Amino acid sequence: MTAHEHQPPSPDELREAASKIRALAGQLTRRLREASEGADVTMSQAAVLSRLDRRGPATTVELARAERVRPQSMGATLAALEDAGLVERSPHPTDRRQALISLTAEGRRQVEEVRRTREGWIAKALREELDDRERAVVVEAVGLLARLVEEE
Amino acid sequence: MTAHEHQPPSPDELREAASKIRALAGQLTRRLREASEGADVTMSQAAVLSRLDRRGPATTVELARAERVRPQSMGATLAALEDAGLVERSPHPTDRRQALISLTAEGRRQVEEVRRTREGWIAKALREELDDRERAVVVEAVGLLARLVEEE
DNA sequence: TATTGTTATACTCTATAACTATA
DNA sequence: TATAGTTATAGAGTATAACAATA
C-alpha cells in the first residue's frame, strides 16, 4: 500500500494503523532520548524552549495547555529552566497573578543546541534514507497527525 | 505543499520537519497518556503486552532491545506485569540463564483493552477526520518513520 | 467565585552501578 | 570472559491535593 492507492479503510486496517501510531510514539520518544545523552536540557525542557522560541513569551497555564500537562508539572519544568538561566519571568502587564515566561540569550543558544543534537539525526535520516516523494509523504503526515492530536 | 509535489528539500525545510517530528512525538505521548487515565496498565507496560501479542514470547534482553531501554528497566516493567498476572516466565529450553516471557490469558484480555481505550481515539480520529488519501499518507509515513527510528 | 500559580507528596520510567548464575 | 538477569539507588516527568494571591 502506498500513498497513491486510496482505498476506504476496513476497521481492522484502522486498528492496525492506530496500533502502529501508538508504537511509533514510544519508539520515537526513546530514540530521541538516546540522541540527547549528555545534553544540557531534558526532553520536556527542550520542548518548552522550542515552543517559546517559535511562539514567543507565554504564561505557565498557556504552556501547560499547549504541552498537555498540568500547570503544576509545567511549573516544575519552568523552575528548572529558570534555575539554569534559560528562561526568565516578567510581570504580566495587567494581571498581577500571571508572569510571562521568555527565553534568555542562553536559552536561545540552547534552542540551537537542541536543533543540532536532538533533531539533527532526524534531519539526517530524512535526507539520506528517504527519496523526495517519501519526504513529502512524511511532512504531510506529520501535519495531519499534529492536527489529530489537538482534537479533544 | 502536498504529498504530490516532490521538491528536493532545502536544509531549512529538513530542520523544520525534524523539529515538527520531535514535537509530535511528545504531543502524541501525552495525548496517549490522557486516553489511558484509569487504565489497568501503564504505557510502557501496554507497549510490552502489545509486542508480546504481535511477536510471541521473548526474553528480557530481546524486549529491552526492541523497546530501546536497558535490560534493568525492562526487568522492572516485566516484574510489574508478572505481579499483575499479565505475563508469565517459562525456562528457556536450552539456556538456563534465560527465561521466555509470554502473555497469560488475562494479559491477552488487557491487550484488547489497550486497543479499545488507548488506540481507540486514534482509530476514530483517522476514520472521522481524514479522507482516504490522507489516511494513506499517514499509514505510509508511519512505516517510513518506524524505519528511520530503527536505524542506528 | 474563578483563575493563576506554588508547595508537598507519590508513582512511573529510566538510568547507572554492582552483583549472581550460567554459558 | 561474555551474557542473562536481579537488586539497589537516583533523577526526571507527571499527577493529585491543598493552599495563597489576584481577578
Side-chain angles (χ1 to χ4, degrees), chain A:
Chain A
M1 169 86 94
T2 79
H4 291 165
E5 301 160 11
H6 311 149
Q7 311 290 344
S10 72
D12 269 1
E13 284 168 347
L14 279 178
R15 274 196 288 272
E16 190 184 333
S19 186
K20 284 183 177 169
I21 291 169
R22 179 191 51 69
L24 177 65
Q27 294 287 89
L28 259 179
T29 297
R30 290 184 286 254
R31 182 67 180 77
L32 280 162
R33 192 182 352 252
E34 288 174 1
S36 309
E37 277 167 10
D40 291 336
V41 297
T42 65
M43 297 231 298
S44 296
Q45 291 167 8
V48 172
L49 293 179
S50 180
R51 179 174 296 275
L52 289 171
D53 186 58
R54 276 178 289 129
R55 307 287 180 82
T59 67
T60 299
V61 166
E62 285 167 353
L63 289 169
R65 191 162 37 226
E67 295 289 332
R68 305 191 86 91
V69 298
R70 306 289 162 165
Q72 299 97 313
S73 303
M74 183 52 65
T77 298
L78 292 173
L81 287 171
E82 198 176 13
D83 286 352
L86 304 179
V87 303
E88 60 192 358
R89 294 163 195 262
S90 53
H92 191 282
T94 63
D95 185 340
R96 279 190 298 161
R97 290 172 306 181
Q98 300 182 42
L100 274 177
I101 317 290
S102 53
L103 287 178
T104 63
E106 178 59 23
R108 269 184 292 276
R109 272 194 293 278
Q110 272 299 330
V111 170
E112 285 307 315
E113 179 71 11
V114 165
R115 291 206 175 108
R116 273 205 311 280
T117 58
R118 243 169 273 252
E119 298 169 4
W121 74 267
I122 306 180
K124 179 166 181 285
L126 289 175
R127 177 161 35 84
E128 296 180 355
E129 309 292 337
L130 302 185
D131 63 30
D132 287 345
R133 190 194 63 80
E134 290 171 330
R135 261 191 299 275
V137 165
V138 167
V139 166
E140 185 182 2
V142 169
L144 291 170
L145 287 170
R147 201 180 84 203
L148 298 187
V149 169
E150 278 158 26
E151 312 261 333
E152 292 311 308

Side-chain angles (χ1 to χ4, degrees), chain B residues 25-40:
Chain B
Q27 294 287 90
L28 259 179
T29 297
R30 288 183 288 253
R31 181 67 181 76
L32 281 162
R33 197 188 339 262
E34 289 174 1
S36 311
E37 279 166 8
D40 292 335

Side-chain angles (χ1 to χ4, degrees), chain B residues 42 44 69-70 72-73 94-97:
Chain B
T42 65
S44 296
V69 299
R70 306 289 163 169
Q72 299 97 313
S73 303
T94 63
D95 186 339
R96 277 190 299 160
R97 291 173 306 180

Side-chain angles (χ1 to χ4, degrees), chain B residues 67-81:
Chain B
E67 294 290 332
R68 305 191 86 91
V69 299
R70 306 289 163 169
Q72 299 97 313
S73 303
M74 183 53 66
T77 298
L78 292 174
L81 287 171

